[in-house]
Amino acid sequence: MKTTELTGQALDFEMYRHACKVSGRQPSQEEFEQGYAKGQFHFHQDKALMLDLVETYKINTQYLAQEWLASTDRSSAGGETPLIAVCRLVLVLNP
């Protein structure tokens, strides 16, 4: 599945992997699954996270043609919500 099509738990797992990479930690499927079951790592629903990502990556968001678009001068990604679009764009920018 392409990064720009990730949703739900699959999107959250890729964001978890990115967060581990940024923090210098090794991602663990077991840690993710256990944390996810306890309500952790739900990145695509964490509205507090959006502001941090927008500021860190200098992301613009706008609503166009029934979809949210997150963009920078380097790339863009769409989504059903602004946060999903932002998460997808962060993953596109950091393959």
Side-chain angles (χ1 to χ4, degrees):
M1 179 178 280
K2 293 168 38 175
T3 299
T4 55
E5 297 172 353
L6 291 171
T7 60
Q9 189 170 350
L11 178 58
D12 290 333
F13 179 69
E14 292 305 318
M15 285 297 293
Y16 161 79
R17 289 182 49 205
H18 170 69
C20 286
K21 181 177 156 184
V22 169
S23 65
R25 295 184 14 187
Q26 186 68 22
S28 160
Q29 181 75 37
E30 183 178 342
E31 176 188 42
F32 175 78
E33 289 175 5
Q34 288 176 356
Y36 204 81
K38 294 176 184 175
Q40 299 173 326
F41 311 127
H42 290 251
F43 298 102
H44 81 280
Q45 297 173 326
D46 186 350
K47 292 179 182 173
L49 175 66
M50 185 171 161
L51 182 57
D52 290 339
L53 294 175
V54 166
E55 288 181 350
T56 300
Y57 294 97
K58 310 292 188 253
I59 297 172
N60 297 306
T61 59
Q62 54 190 325
Y63 190 68
L64 296 170
Q66 308 286 322
E67 182 177 65
W68 283 94
L69 179 68
S71 61
T72 65
D73 58 352
R74 295 183 355 204
S75 194
S76 64
E80 302 80 37
T81 69
L83 187 51
I84 289 172
V86 166
C87 287
R88 288 175 176 167
L89 179 57
V90 167
L91 295 174
V92 167
L93 294 172
N94 300 283

